Amino acid sequence: MITTRFPNHGLYAITDGPRTDLLDVASQALAGGARVLQYRDKTTDTTRRHAEAVALKQLCDVHAVPLIINDDVVLAAATGAAGVHLGRDDGDVAAARAVLGDHSIIGVSCYDSFELARAAAAAGADYVAFGAFFPSPTKPHAVRASPALLRQSATLGVPRVAIGGITPDNASSLVDAGADFLAVISAVFAMPDVCAAAQRFAHLYPPD
């Protein structure tokens, strides 16, 4: 199994499946500079989801980029993914760590709550995610978070991920507020040129 470290900063691209061109657009996002790829598919087609996650893991290994599985600890373990992202109803960090091991990457959605983020960091989360910062086409009814939350959470000592309606035109304010990663779905994967869209986000951060 190839272990890929969590990078310092950059574009955190989240897939918008199911879609027939998933591997192609994921490859474009990685070529454009995505530093993390999350496989997000809310369907119950376990056979297809497993096959896609395996293929994405192989693709990410080529680019030395960690593959994170949305919500599904079992799928992350079965496919050797780098880690899992946990939402409000997806179990706790300790339970995921017990399944995936000490070297896995476990991220937690903290919405608009510093208290959730503090608890997640204390429980051993590898990163915390806040949002939505802007109106989100993926989750139009999501709670709104303030950039001040990114500044406040610098004290937690874990990477901070911003999500929700982020575009290359509004992202700079979040980077300035301390977002280590910009998590993006539609502004990358709904674009006609996925590689170019990813590049626009990647260029918001200095090279390592």
Side-chain angles (χ1 to χ4, degrees):
M1 178 177 135
I2 297 175
T3 301
T4 305
R5 69 176 181 85
F6 201 63
N8 295 323
H9 53 245
L11 170 62
Y12 184 134
I14 303 177
T15 68
D16 60 345
R19 56 188 295 172
T20 58
D21 62 346
L22 176 66
L23 291 181
D24 178 55
V25 293
S27 181
Q28 290 183 49
L30 293 169
R35 303 300 307 279
V36 182
L37 184 70
Q38 183 186 125
Y39 177 54
R40 181 180 187 271
D41 186 313
K42 297 292 190 178
T43 71
T44 57
D45 187 343
T46 55
T47 300
R48 177 181 52 75
R49 291 174 69 247
H50 184 276
E52 289 179 348
V54 168
L56 289 173
K57 169 67 165 55
Q58 294 171 346
L59 180 64
C60 286
D61 285 347
V62 170
H63 290 268
V65 165
L67 175 68
I68 306 298
I69 304 296
N70 179 269
D71 294 353
D72 195 332
V73 174
V74 173
L75 181 61
T79 57
V84 69
H85 183 86
L86 303 175
R88 195 188 307 273
D89 302 315
D90 299 323
D92 60 30
V93 173
R97 184 75 67 198
V99 174
L100 298 177
D102 292 339
H103 299 293
S104 60
I105 299 166
I106 299 176
V108 178
S109 290
C110 299
Y111 311 100
D112 62 342
S113 172
F114 177 75
E115 292 306 317
L116 284 177
R118 182 161 59 185
D126 295 287
Y127 69 85
V128 294
F130 298 108
F133 286 95
F134 306 102
S136 168
T138 302
K139 293 187 175 183
H141 303 296
V143 296
R144 295 289 291 276
S146 165
L149 192 54
L150 293 168
R151 298 186 183 93
Q152 181 184 15
S153 57
T155 60
L156 298 177
V158 296
R160 293 153 289 165
V161 178
I163 191 170
I166 301 171
T167 71
D169 297 322
N170 63 27
S172 293
S173 63
L174 302 179
V175 176
D176 292 344
D180 300 294
F181 294 89
L182 300 171
V184 181
I185 301 177
S186 59
V188 169
F189 289 111
M191 296 295 105
D193 187 334
V194 172
C195 181
Q199 287 175 334
R200 292 187 67 190
F201 285 104
H203 291 161
L204 295 170
Y205 289 96
D208 286 339

